[in-house]
């Protein structure tokens, strides 16, 4: 930013919560890390929306300034408001601040808000070698919210910390679980269990709109490292599965097309 004279800087210092939030959203879009210094004072705002957006903004914009933003985000994990804690957890997944690991692991099971627990489960996927047992505990906890369990299994797939045999055991145990079945199967496929794809294809033909949208996200996630060893071989099969979703839910067609274009050929 330009030393305080820009309209966005004026909005940040205006004291008007609506203007401050809109300015931070625009700064995230612009992706200018220099704005972090101007945003940091807003983490102390009395307005919850301003504090939570500030936590989100310094996460997106402060990846190259971890020693500066990491301690701030760690402190925000103790905020009284769940949305502030939620954005802080998500941002810690972006900036990968090592001293936050123990707090994230502790709050994964202890935070009273399932939204925060879900974001912590997702964030731990950025910290390989940490929280593995706690993530497995989340997956196995049938009384935990489905979103928390789904993010937990996704993170286990991303870190690669759980041995293949244990992932396959989870797929065997929870593959038909109403809350997390497709996600467990996706992770098992990622580690090389090609048989999971047939099960996922069968289920795709009967999923409701919400589950279908979640499946599209899961398939898109497969295209990020670590790449399944049989992805190229199965590309046409996955494309057929995507076509089924698009036919059943036409509004998903654009998402399906984007994923299809990303598949290896």
């Amino acid at each position: 930013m330009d030393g305080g004279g820009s309209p966005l800087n004026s909005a940040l210092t205006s004291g008007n919560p609506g203007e401050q939030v809109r300015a931070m959203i625009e700064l995230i879009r612009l992706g200018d890390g220099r704005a972090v210094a101007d945003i940091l004072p807003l983490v102390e705002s009395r307005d919850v929306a301003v504090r939570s957006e500030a936590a989100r903004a310094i996460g997106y914009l402060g990846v190259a300034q971890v020693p500066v933003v990491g301690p701030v985000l760690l402190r925000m994990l103790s905020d009284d408001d769940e949305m502030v804690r939620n954005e802080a957890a998500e941002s810690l997944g972006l900036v990968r601040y090592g001293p936050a690991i123990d707090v994230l692991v502790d709050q994964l099971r202890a935070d009273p808000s399932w939204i925060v627990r879900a974001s912590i489960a997702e964030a731990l996927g950025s910290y390989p070698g940490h929280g593995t047992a706690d993530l497995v505990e989340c997956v196995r906890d049938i009384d935990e919210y489905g979103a928390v369990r789904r993010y937990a299994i996704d993170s286990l797939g991303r870190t690669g910390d759980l041995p293949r045999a244990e992932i396959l055991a989870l797929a065997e145990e929870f593959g038909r679980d109403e809350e997390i079945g497709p996600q467990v199967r996706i992770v098992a496929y990622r580690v090389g269990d090609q048989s999971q794809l047939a099960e996922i294809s069968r289920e795709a033909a009967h999923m409701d709109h919400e589950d279908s949208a979640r499946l599209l996200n899961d398939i898109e996630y497969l295209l990020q490292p670590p790449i399944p060893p049989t992805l190229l071989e199965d590309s046409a099969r996955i494309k057929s599965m995507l076509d089924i979703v698009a036919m059943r839910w036409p509004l998903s067609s654009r998402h399906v097309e984007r994923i299809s274009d990303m598949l290896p050929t």
Side-chain angles (χ1 to χ4, degrees):
M1 299 178 72
D2 59 4
S6 76
L8 289 175
N9 183 274
S10 296
L12 291 178
T13 59
S14 68
N16 181 308
E19 290 184 12
Q20 291 171 324
V21 168
R22 285 191 291 273
M24 286 186 281
I25 292 172
E26 177 63 12
L27 287 166
I28 292 171
R29 188 188 70 80
L30 293 172
D32 188 349
R34 293 174 298 176
V36 167
D38 300 292
I39 295 170
L40 280 172
L42 298 182
V43 304
E44 305 294 344
S45 173
R46 294 182 180 180
D47 188 272
V48 168
V50 173
R51 288 203 311 280
S52 60
E53 191 61 34
R56 189 170 83 95
I58 65 174
Y60 274 99
L61 300 175
V63 173
Q65 304 175 54
V66 177
V68 174
V69 302
V72 176
L73 293 168
L74 178 55
R75 187 173 70 249
M76 297 180 87
L77 277 181
S78 300
D79 196 278
D80 289 339
D81 188 86
E82 67 176 4
M83 294 313 299
V84 177
R85 299 197 306 278
N86 178 66
E87 295 294 352
E90 290 193 3
S91 288
L92 285 166
L94 295 174
V95 303
R96 303 184 183 190
Y97 179 58
I101 291 170
D102 288 343
V103 178
L104 288 169
V105 171
D106 288 344
Q107 279 187 235
L108 174 63
R109 304 299 283 155
D111 198 283
S113 167
W114 72 264
I115 296 174
V116 179
R117 296 196 303 275
S119 291
I120 290 173
E122 181 182 23
L124 284 171
S126 297
Y127 297 88
H130 300 279
T132 303
D134 300 87
L135 290 169
V136 172
E137 184 181 332
C138 278
V139 173
R140 291 188 174 281
D141 185 358
I142 61 173
D143 294 322
E144 179 58 278
Y145 277 79
V148 183
R149 299 174 73 202
R150 286 190 290 271
Y151 279 119
I153 190 63
D154 285 349
S155 285
L156 289 168
R158 278 194 289 141
T159 62
D161 290 334
L162 199 63
R164 183 177 186 273
E166 292 187 38
I167 289 178
L168 298 184
L170 286 175
E172 180 68 24
E173 184 175 357
F174 294 105
R176 300 199 180 281
D177 186 289
E178 291 184 2
E179 295 280 4
I180 65 168
Q183 287 71 39
V184 177
R185 292 191 184 282
I186 285 283
V187 172
Y189 173 72
R190 182 188 284 282
V191 300
D193 184 358
Q194 202 170 10
S195 68
Q196 298 294 338
L197 205 56
E199 293 292 335
I200 297 168
S201 296
R202 278 193 285 271
E203 292 168 1
H206 305 288
M207 288 180 177
D208 62 22
H209 186 266
E210 183 178 351
D211 287 339
S212 294
R214 192 175 293 134
L215 177 62
L216 293 182
N217 289 332
D218 291 336
I219 294 173
E220 189 170 10
Y221 152 74
L222 279 178
L223 305 178
Q224 304 170 14
I227 301 295
T230 62
L231 185 63
L232 176 59
E233 178 185 344
D234 295 324
S235 185
R237 211 165 154 199
I238 294 172
K239 176 67 166 56
S240 297
M241 188 193 315
L242 293 172
D243 289 341
I244 290 172
V245 174
M247 284 189 293
R248 297 188 71 235
W249 309 106
L251 291 178
S252 300
S253 295
R254 188 170 297 177
H255 192 184
V256 166
E257 183 177 349
R258 184 175 77 242
I259 299 171
S260 295
D261 289 344
M262 295 167 63
L263 286 168
T265 56

